[in-house]
Each structure stands twice: as C-alpha cells, then as structure tokens.
Amino acid sequence: MLRLPAVGSTDAQIAGELFISAKTASVHVSNILAKLDVPNRATAGARARDLGAA
C-alpha cells in the first residue's frame, strides 16, 4: 500500500488498484501518514524511499 501514495497516486487510483472504495483508500493513506509522522504524501514518499519501502 505504501508504494501507491509514494508514487503520487490519488485516492481514486489507489482504490481502483486495490479494489476498495476511494474513502477506504483515503483512510488508509491518512493512517500511513500518521504512522510515519509526516504531513503529506510527498514527505511519506521520501520517508518510504529512505526506509527502502518504495
């Protein structure tokens, strides 16, 4: 899941890729941002690359 927001995918794109609703994708992205303690997707992508996860 982390790879999709890290490459700039929208909630709708993530939802289509994972066969979930856009709202569910939004909640997952919000949870990822909170767990990584970052303010936005761009920073999450950078953190994911630093951690070797993207």
Side-chain angles (χ1 to χ4, degrees):
M1 171 73 181
L2 182 56
R3 130 186 109 74
L4 296 171
V7 297
S9 298
T10 65
D11 291 341
Q13 291 167 328
I14 293 168
E17 181 80 18
L18 300 178
F19 304 103
I20 58 176
S21 74
K23 177 63 178 167
T24 300
S26 173
V27 169
H28 286 311
V29 170
S30 294
N31 289 337
I32 288 169
L33 297 179
K35 286 183 183 205
L36 292 175
D37 194 29
V38 295
N40 55 49
R41 293 168 191 245
T43 308
R47 180 73 52 88
R49 282 187 292 280
D50 291 345
L51 296 172

